[in-house]
Structure formats: structure tokens, C-alpha cells
Amino acid sequence: MAFCIITDSASDIPDSIKKEYNLYVIPTPVTIEGIDYFDGESVFPDEFYTIQSEGRDIKTYHISQFMFEQSFRPYAERGDEVLYICFSTGIAGTFQAANLAYNVIKEDYPDFKMTIIDSKCASMGFGLVVERLLRMQKNAAPNELIIEAARFFCEHMEHVVTVSELDYLFKGGRLSRTSFLAGSVLDIKPIIIVDENGSLKAVEKVRGRKKSLKRMIDMVGEKGKNLENQIIGACYGTDKEAFDYITGQLQERYNVKGIIRGRVGCAIGAHTGPSILGIVFLNETNDKFEPYLV
């Protein structure tokens, strides 16, 4: 019986990590002009953002109970144990659908053991959690400790995000009309976090793209813990120049142990637009897990 760590594509976990650990990632669905695609399987970031820039109709929806049943059942059939780190309930209904699927499978396989954790994270936020867990597993951490670490990392993961265009936040109902109009005129850029409920929340407004990038980097120093010993995460949509700037500054200012670099896919990008930039890191560390994170 194997202990298997899995996640979904809203984690935006890089292909290099998927290949290194043979990680199974459940694809998130997206509808483009009425046709279903699957993030990271039949549509990829470059193609997606081109489609988005053309103004084509894009809708996202969470992985359904049926899709989860299809994904989980092979593990039950093999007698494996599963740890699934899922997209935040504050943004999608993934956690509920996954639990419904698990309960259905349990009727056929009552001994099937699965832990489903609502990450309350988005994009590379829970991608970074998964990478840490895989590293711990590679270094022979006990399964119970990996599950404990998963809860800790999810609870203490910080997200700092900004976008340039406000249109997508406005269309998605995450920005009022007044804020959208005023922000567009005054070149206001929001600083967004993922709050304790796992929801996207604008906490600051900064004038101009450059200032928003600098503010993001400052917030990492204000909220991060033991950054010099952390491998942190950073991700972007299409603005590679801005992305290179923030990753360079993170290394220069905080001497971080490393940076996992990723692209923001459909699940988040559809609602934020191509200019999205994000940084994820821990606001607390725990010595109990450190020996397995070498």
C-alpha cells in the first residue's frame, strides 16, 4: 500500500516538480466559447492568455464530484492511502465535491483511507505546500508527520498578489464599479492577499505598477519568517519582465534559500487577467519538519 500525495491544477505547480515526483495533478476545467478544456492538460498558460486577450468567452467551474470519483477510485482499487491538498473553499467548491466523491467510493471500498485538506490557499500557495510535502516524503518522513505538516503549511502560507488591469476583478465581482472607475483613472493597483477564510481580499491600493511591485516585496519582509531558510514561491501570468524583477529583489533583499517559479493557469488567471504576479511564503516555521526539508 502506497501513501500518495496529490493535488489539483489550481496549484499551478511547475511541470518540473510533477516530473521529479511523478505527482498526479487533477486538471481544473475551464469553458472557452462553450467548449470544455482542462487546465494543464488541454489548455496551457500561453495559449490561455492569448485567448483571454482576444476577448473570447471564458468561464471556470470547480472539479465535479464525478471527476473526483474518476480520479480517486484507482487509488481505492489498489489499496493506497491518499493525501489530497485542494484549492481553497473561499474561491471554489472543490473541497465539498472531493468529500462527496470520497464518501461514494467508501461505500465500495470501506477501508479506503484518504485525507482531504482545504488548503485555504490559491495558485502557488498550495503548490508550495505540496512541494514541501513531497520533499518530506522523499526524505522518509512518517505519513502522520506529513499530514500534520500539510495542515501547518496551509495555515501559515502567505500570499501577496497584484494585477495591472482591473477589468477582470471588476467583471468577477471582486471590485466595485466605483473602485474600478477610480482605479483606472488614477492608475491604482491593488495589493491582494488570501485571507483566513481562503478568499481573495484587496488590502491596499498603490499608485502605479512599479510601486505595487515594491510594496509586494516589502510585505514579504514584513510577514515572512526565517526567509533565508525558506524556499518560497513566485508566479506570473505574462509579465515576465516584472516577474524577473520581483524574483531578483527577493533574492537580493532576503537571501531566500530558493524560489520555485511558476505560471498562473486558468483557475486564477481567468479572474485576475494576464498581468497577475504573486509571491507565496510562510509566516512561521516549525523545527519539527525541518530535518525532512533538506
Side-chain angles (χ1 to χ4, degrees):
M1 182 181 77
F3 180 76
C4 304
I5 300 166
I6 67 174
T7 190
D8 58 70
S9 68
S11 64
D12 295 327
I13 199 158
D15 287 340
S16 58
I17 293 173
K18 296 179 196 176
K19 292 174 183 175
E20 180 180 355
Y21 295 99
N22 194 26
L23 173 68
Y24 177 58
V25 177
I26 305 170
T28 302
V30 58
T31 301
I32 302 171
E33 298 290 346
I35 300 173
D36 282 346
Y37 295 84
F38 294 92
D39 186 21
E41 190 173 277
S42 55
V43 64
F44 301 89
D46 285 336
E47 178 188 9
F48 172 74
Y49 288 117
T50 297
I51 290 168
Q52 189 179 57
S53 70
E54 293 168 351
R56 293 161 67 182
D57 182 52
I58 298 172
K59 292 182 173 65
T60 60
Y61 59 97
H62 68 74
I63 302 164
S64 69
Q65 178 182 334
F66 176 70
M67 294 173 190
F68 277 124
E69 286 182 39
Q70 288 183 308
S71 295
F72 297 160
R73 192 169 291 275
Y75 294 99
E77 292 171 348
R78 290 193 298 265
D80 294 336
E81 180 180 347
V82 174
L83 170 60
Y84 169 45
I85 311 297
C86 82
F87 195 13
S88 173
T89 50
I91 302 174
T94 310
F95 179 73
Q96 182 180 7
N99 275 282
L100 289 171
Y102 175 46
N103 290 332
V104 168
I105 294 171
K106 285 273 285 184
E107 293 175 5
D108 297 329
Y109 299 91
D111 295 329
F112 179 38
K113 188 175 180 182
M114 183 173 189
T115 303
I116 303 171
I117 294 181
D118 173 11
S119 68
K120 295 193 177 177
C121 297
S123 187
M124 279 285 290
F126 68 111
L128 195 62
V129 170
V130 171
E131 187 277 336
R132 275 179 159 77
L133 302 180
L134 292 168
R135 219 173 343 138
M136 289 182 68
Q137 185 179 45
K138 182 180 179 180
N139 291 319
N143 297 346
E144 296 77 12
L145 188 68
I146 292 173
I147 293 171
E148 182 184 347
R151 300 187 191 282
F152 178 87
F153 295 147
C154 289
E155 181 183 354
H156 292 284
M157 190 63 66
E158 294 281 354
H159 306 64
V160 182
V161 179
T162 193
V163 298
S164 188
E165 311 98 332
L166 303 181
D167 313 57
Y168 300 96
L169 294 175
F170 173 59
K171 290 175 184 175
R174 291 182 170 86
L175 194 67
S176 70
R177 183 173 181 81
T178 301
S179 295
F180 167 62
L181 293 173
S184 299
V185 171
L186 298 173
D187 195 28
I188 299 297
K189 311 302 178 189
I191 303 296
I192 301 165
I193 65 165
V194 175
D195 66 16
E196 63 277 5
N197 299 313
S199 300
L200 297 175
K201 181 180 180 182
V203 291
E204 294 185 23
K205 298 174 183 178
V206 181
R207 195 162 187 174
R209 179 73 159 174
K210 288 184 179 179
K211 288 183 179 179
S212 71
L213 303 184
K214 290 177 181 177
R215 182 62 191 131
M216 286 177 71
I217 295 159
D218 287 344
M219 288 178 70
V220 174
E222 293 166 7
K223 293 172 174 281
K225 181 74 176 292
N226 297 327
L227 291 169
E228 67 281 0
N229 293 318
Q230 277 197 52
I231 293 177
I232 67 172
C235 53
Y236 73 106
T238 60
D239 193 345
K240 184 65 162 53
E241 182 179 351
F243 179 71
D244 288 342
Y245 169 77
I246 64 170
T247 53
Q249 286 294 301
L250 289 168
Q251 290 175 316
E252 182 179 322
R253 288 183 56 177
Y254 304 120
N255 193 29
V256 293
K257 186 176 180 180
I259 301 175
I260 295 175
R261 294 163 168 83
R263 297 290 300 279
V264 178
C266 307
I268 291 292
H271 304 284
T272 60
S275 66
I276 183 169
L277 289 163
I279 306 170
V280 292
F281 54 96
L282 291 173
N283 61 24
E284 190 57 83
T285 56
N286 189 320
D287 291 340
K288 184 190 299 187
F289 311 127
E290 292 305 311
Y292 301 99
L293 291 171
V294 292

